[in-house]
Amino acid sequence: GDQLWQVVRQARVVIATCIGSGMEMLEAKGEASHFQRVIIDECTQACEPAALVALGRGCEQAVLIGDHAQLPATVLSKLAKQHGLGVSLFERMATTVGIEPTVLKEQRRMHSSIVEFPNMTFYSGQLVNAVDDATLAPIPGFPWPNPECRVAFVDVADTYGAEGKRGFSAYNVTEAEAVADVAEQDLVLFSATRSNAERNLGFLADSRRMNV
């Protein structure tokens, strides 16, 4: 109520989700309802109308943070996607309006062999490795086919490796067992689950999700 509004009025920074920034408590009550500067984190995962809720509070300067080469805006309705709501404000401004994003080019998270694919596929080779590979020893306990390459594909495609369906979800017992065998290791394990004659990739049909 009024007590909470007083706290908001005195605050220099208010943190909320995009939709939460439209809450009634922040409705026009003098200058306190105006936020001149708005920062939207993970903006590429928000549909444009959601971002506009946050910007509709008297915003004069906006900073949009995100990566439109990774997860797209979350839109469940196929009809909404057909009408363009699957494109975030960030992506539209970067690809249609022509505003050049500021790219953080130094990567400090991974071995150079891991970053090679996304760097060439999604970032046109702009990324620079700022970590020495020599400091990243191979994770012990996993039979690396090539110790110099820290990406390994484990083939579980046999007569029992096909995916199954439970409701709207897919599952793959053989793949789950293979993941469980190395789950104790300090590794990032990616299981796509999908294994079907139709070559349906499901979640990965949008190639940007491979970049996450």
Side-chain angles (χ1 to χ4, degrees), residues 2 4 13 16 35 48 52 60 63:
D2 289 341
L4 185 56
V13 176
F35 297 87
E48 186 164 348
L52 294 179
E60 297 177 14
V63 177

Side-chain angles (χ1 to χ4, degrees), residues 36-206:
Q36 293 177 305
R37 300 171 183 85
V38 175
I39 300 174
I40 304 180
D41 193 16
E42 298 293 358
C43 186
T44 53
Q45 294 185 47
C47 62
E48 186 164 348
L52 294 179
V53 174
L55 299 179
R57 293 289 186 186
C59 176
E60 297 177 14
Q61 294 176 311
V63 177
L64 308 182
I65 302 173
D67 184 353
H68 62 294
Q70 292 193 28
L71 291 176
T74 303
V75 177
L76 301 180
S77 168
K78 292 182 179 179
L79 181 61
K81 285 184 179 180
Q82 291 173 3
H83 287 277
L85 290 181
V87 178
S88 67
L89 176 63
F90 185 111
E91 182 179 359
R92 185 173 67 81
M93 296 185 76
T95 60
T96 305
V97 179
I99 297 177
E100 188 70 25
T102 298
V103 179
L104 303 181
K105 296 183 179 180
E106 288 192 356
Q107 80 83 17
R108 302 173 181 272
R109 295 182 175 184
M110 65 196 88
H111 192 275
S112 61
S113 61
I114 301 175
V115 76
E116 183 178 358
F117 168 73
N119 189 19
M120 300 308 298
T121 304
F122 298 102
Y123 303 109
S124 303
Q126 296 182 79
L127 301 185
V128 177
N129 293 306
V131 60
D132 185 358
D133 283 350
T135 65
L136 303 173
I139 303 299
F142 183 83
W144 295 99
N146 178 2
E148 298 303 315
C149 179
R150 305 301 166 77
V151 178
F153 291 90
V154 180
D155 186 6
V156 295
D158 57 27
T159 54
Y160 301 103
E163 67 182 68
K165 287 285 189 180
R166 184 177 291 117
F168 293 103
S169 299
Y171 68 91
N172 189 319
V173 174
T174 304
E175 194 165 314
E177 290 174 346
V179 169
D181 286 341
V182 292
E184 298 290 327
Q185 309 298 328
D186 187 16
L187 297 168
V188 174
L189 303 173
F190 173 74
S191 171
T193 303
R194 311 313 292 266
S195 178
N196 53 73
E198 296 77 20
R199 299 185 179 183
N200 184 355
L201 295 177
F203 181 80
L204 292 180
D206 187 326

